[in-house]
Amino acid sequence: MINLRTYVYIDSLQPQLAAYIATVSQGFLPVPGDACLWVEVSPGMAVHRLTDVALKATRVHLAQQVVERAYGSMVIHRRDQSDVCEAGRAVLGKMDARVQDRQPCRVAWHEVIRGMTPDHCVLINRQDRRGSMILPGQSMFILETEPAGYIVYAANQAEKAANITLIDVRAVGAFGRLILSGREGDVDEAAGAAIAAVENPSAT
């Protein structure tokens, strides 16, 4: 039996998130404006079967596939939203599942830290950085979700909502983690959008 952990549809990838995904992607790189679907299942090996279904059903591209023992995730994208939606329907059909069967998102932690110190910024910027850098004096928002995949939707909606900088978007494993930074007001607005996003994630 395949369990649906995460199923999140993004209608239009924002520029920073698209660029971030491209830094970790081993497949076809997305560009801003692409529609995107993030699917996470357990057990992990089952994601190969679902990837095969999605790629044969439509003209979508595979940006990323991560196969762990417990969880497996795939990211598909294409400019044409209808292709991505149809691929999602094919995946759900193969699983005999509905979007409503996905595991609800739980916010494990969220916090805004204001007026970041130089030492703190340097440490964050040196930790496996694939996004942008956080600067001293900025505010920082951190968010942790379970399952992990929902963090991508949170990041996209946060970038839509405010003028912020994406520092880290980790969407694989047991928990997803988001770090973003910016001016205090922008970070507060982005934080609100991110939390609202994971409380009511998109379906199609």
Side-chain angles (χ1 to χ4, degrees), residues 4-87:
L4 184 61
R5 285 175 54 79
T6 305
Y7 184 98
V8 173
Y9 171 74
I10 296 174
D11 61 353
S12 178
L13 280 170
Q14 297 303 292
Q16 290 185 70
L17 182 58
Y20 186 96
I21 292 174
T23 67
V24 299
S25 172
Q26 295 178 326
F28 289 85
L29 305 184
V31 296
D34 277 2
C36 176
L37 180 67
W38 195 289
V39 178
E40 182 183 16
V41 298
S42 64
M45 291 296 284
V47 77
H48 282 291
R49 183 190 313 171
L50 302 179
T51 298
D52 180 66
V53 168
L55 295 178
K56 288 177 178 176
T58 68
R59 299 171 296 168
V60 294
H61 296 300
L62 181 64
Q64 181 176 328
Q65 184 186 70
V66 177
V67 184
E68 302 174 315
R69 182 62 196 97
Y71 314 125
S73 61
M74 70 173 191
V75 184
I76 56 175
H77 64 95
R78 190 169 176 85
R79 179 67 59 164
D80 190 334
Q81 295 183 10
S82 63
D83 275 336
V84 176
C85 292
E86 180 58 31

Side-chain angles (χ1 to χ4, degrees), residues 108-119:
W109 187 264
H110 68 90
E111 185 174 12
V112 174
I113 298 176
R114 308 181 191 282
M116 292 285 290
T117 65
D119 283 11

Side-chain angles (χ1 to χ4, degrees), residues 114-154:
R114 308 181 191 282
M116 292 285 290
T117 65
D119 283 11
H120 200 173
C121 291
V122 167
L123 186 143
I124 291 172
N125 290 336
R126 288 173 61 88
Q127 290 179 341
D128 192 30
R129 181 175 61 83
R130 291 189 173 97
S132 298
M133 290 189 292
I134 186 170
L135 303 177
Q138 291 184 330
S139 291
M140 175 179 72
F141 172 63
I142 52 179
L143 176 66
E144 188 175 58
T145 64
E146 181 186 21
Y150 288 105
I151 211 72
V152 175
Y153 188 57

